[in-house]
Amino acid sequence: MTSRLNRLAVAFLATALATLGVTVANPAPASAAMTICYNTSQAGSYASVANQAASIWNNATVNLTLSANCGSNLRIYRITGGGSYAVRTSLGNGRVYIDTQQAAQYSVLRIMTHEIGHILGLPDNYNGNCALLMSGGSAGTSCTNPYPSTAEASRVSNLFAGTFSATDRSADIFRDSWPSALTPVS
Ligand SMILES: [Zn+2]
């Protein structure tokens, strides 16, 4: 039984190495198992939310690990007004800003995991589907889902394996729409 498992393990390893061979052939491969050090010194009361969001991403993905207090690949800020947004300087690096006014209406954990999703290479997908993390505020204030879908998580894992084009890893700014849910005064 053990040897059979060993053979399976060897077969699996061979497949993994074959996959790695494709990755190495990429002109700009990302390093395997990147550690993304995030810094919450400017996150105020949202530091614990950032920790929860990091755990969610770590549990959902491979090839990357978000880790606290080891550096500043990702700085997280608590701001008031102007909207939540993410500034990606490169894949796994940048800044996330969480607006307290939006967090008063929407799940702050969902906002946090969404904005970190941009740093991890995901674009917005405002289709109103609460099952998607990157649908953001389009899913409404009742949507509190903070988890990436299987497809979203797989895309991030693949990006950190270096299997997508350079444009997925480019610098970008994601000004987010978490539209106000306040009823206009008539
Ligand atoms: Zn977004």
Side-chain angles (χ1 to χ4, degrees), residues 141-172:
T141 54
S142 64
C143 176
T144 61
N145 170 34
Y147 300 103
S149 68
T150 301
E152 289 172 324
S154 294
R155 183 171 175 80
V156 168
S157 295
N158 288 337
L159 280 170
F160 279 83
T163 51
F164 277 84
S165 72
T167 54
D168 292 304
R169 300 200 282 265
S170 64
D172 213 337

Side-chain angles (χ1 to χ4, degrees), residues 114-115 118 124 126 134 174 176:
H114 173 104
E115 299 302 341
H118 288 312
D124 283 309
Y126 294 142
M134 301 316 288
F174 301 88
D176 265 308

Side-chain angles (χ1 to χ4, degrees), residues 67-121:
S67 183
N69 304 317
C70 62
S72 301
N73 296 97
L74 168 59
R75 288 187 180 275
I76 297 176
Y77 297 83
R78 180 183 187 271
I79 61 173
T80 296
S84 302
Y85 64 107
V87 177
R88 186 175 72 215
T89 53
S90 64
L91 186 66
N93 292 282
R95 304 181 297 280
V96 158
Y97 300 83
I98 307 297
D99 183 351
T100 59
Q101 293 177 345
Q102 288 176 334
Q105 298 184 61
Y106 295 86
S107 161
V108 66
L109 181 57
R110 178 171 163 84
I111 296 175
M112 185 72 76
T113 49
H114 173 104
E115 299 302 341
I116 291 176
H118 288 312
I119 304 299
L120 303 182

Side-chain angles (χ1 to χ4, degrees), residues 9 22 33 38 49 55 70 104 116 144 175 182:
V22 172
Y38 64 95
V49 179
S55 293
C70 62
I116 291 176
T144 61
R175 288 266 170 201
L182 297 175

Side-chain angles (χ1 to χ4, degrees), residues 45-61:
S45 59
Y46 295 159
S48 63
V49 179
N51 293 336
Q52 291 177 63
S55 293
I56 286 172
W57 277 114
N58 286 341
N59 289 336
T61 59

